[in-house]
Amino acid sequence: LEARNVIDEETQRLISESDASGKGTLQERHARAMDALLEKEEGENQSDLAFLKQNFANLKSEMEKQSKAASKLEGKIAIMNGGLESKHTELFSRLREAYEKHAEALSQLQSFKLLSESERLAGPQRIHLLQADLDQEKEKEKEMQRKYAELMNQVQDSRAKVGVNGTS
């Protein structure tokens, strides 16, 4: 924005300098020269040639001034565009990074949703299987406790028959 203001100010300054010279714009001076040329009589070839040479020199110098001014403006525009292009490149790379992160996050979200759904379905089945295993282990424990008690009874009966007291 600041560069654009500088360019606009420079353009206005150049235009006002051109108008302040009192000679008018390039088109106006050319029109006056052509009018003056038409008004001259054909017999004054020598003065016409001098007039045309002077007019050509004036137009050429004005064209050179305009060319220099245009070159300055082109330089300023190139600076402004260069800044805009670098800003564009930076913003575009940041946008691409954000898009890639978004795509990755979206992919992870889909994966976690799929995992969550499969866990939701598998959870009750796992609980049922673990409960069945627990019940089976409890049954084994009861059976082993019963066998242990039976064996202890047999040991006591055997000791009683032999006459050995349980305290030695």
Side-chain angles (χ1 to χ4, degrees), residues 97-113:
E97 281 180 31
Y99 178 77
E100 289 170 358
K101 286 180 182 178
H102 173 72
E104 183 180 337
L106 195 58
S107 173
Q108 288 178 356
L109 176 65
Q110 291 296 73
S111 297
F112 284 123
K113 281 183 178 180

Side-chain angles (χ1 to χ4, degrees), residues 124-141:
Q125 185 179 12
R126 281 194 199 117
I127 291 173
H128 177 71
L129 290 173
L130 289 173
Q131 188 65 46
D133 286 347
L134 181 63
D135 291 344
Q136 187 178 8
E137 289 299 317
K138 283 182 180 178
E139 278 301 312
K140 283 182 186 178
E141 180 68 23

Side-chain angles (χ1 to χ4, degrees), residues 15-164:
I15 290 171
S16 65
E17 282 179 6
S18 175
D19 290 343
S21 68
K23 297 178 183 176
T25 65
L26 183 62
Q27 291 89 359
E28 291 170 353
R29 289 193 317 199
H30 179 68
R32 282 196 306 265
M34 292 306 290
D35 289 342
L37 181 63
L38 291 176
E39 291 175 4
K40 295 273 186 178
E41 292 183 12
E42 290 184 11
E44 302 175 351
N45 284 339
Q46 201 59 282
S47 71
D48 285 346
L49 183 60
F51 175 76
L52 288 174
K53 283 182 180 181
Q54 181 61 38
N55 190 35
F56 178 76
N58 290 342
L59 291 174
K60 184 178 177 184
S61 69
E62 181 63 28
M63 188 174 74
E64 288 171 355
K65 286 179 188 176
Q66 294 291 335
S67 175
K68 287 178 185 178
S71 294
K72 284 183 182 179
L73 289 175
E74 284 176 0
K76 290 178 182 180
I77 289 171
I79 290 170
M80 189 173 95
N81 280 348
L84 293 175
E85 286 175 8
S86 67
K87 188 73 168 175
H88 170 331
T89 303
E90 175 192 342
L91 291 175
F92 187 75
S93 67
R94 286 176 44 197
L95 180 64
R96 186 177 339 111
E97 281 180 31
Y99 178 77
E100 289 170 358
K101 286 180 182 178
H102 173 72
E104 183 180 337
L106 195 58
S107 173
Q108 288 178 356
L109 176 65
Q110 291 296 73
S111 297
F112 284 123
K113 281 183 178 180
L114 185 62
L115 181 63
S116 173
E117 182 64 20
S118 65
E119 286 296 317
R120 187 185 64 78
L121 295 174
Q125 185 179 12
R126 281 194 199 117
I127 291 173
H128 177 71
L129 290 173
L130 289 173
Q131 188 65 46
D133 286 347
L134 181 63
D135 291 344
Q136 187 178 8
E137 289 299 317
K138 283 182 180 178
E139 278 301 312
K140 283 182 186 178
E141 180 68 23
K142 282 182 187 177
E143 181 63 27
M144 291 172 86
Q145 288 292 332
R146 187 187 59 74
K147 281 186 180 182
Y148 178 76
E150 198 176 289
L151 288 173
M152 287 306 288
N153 286 338
Q154 285 178 3
V155 167
Q156 285 179 354
D157 287 345
S158 296
R159 283 187 183 168
K161 285 182 186 177
V162 175
V164 178

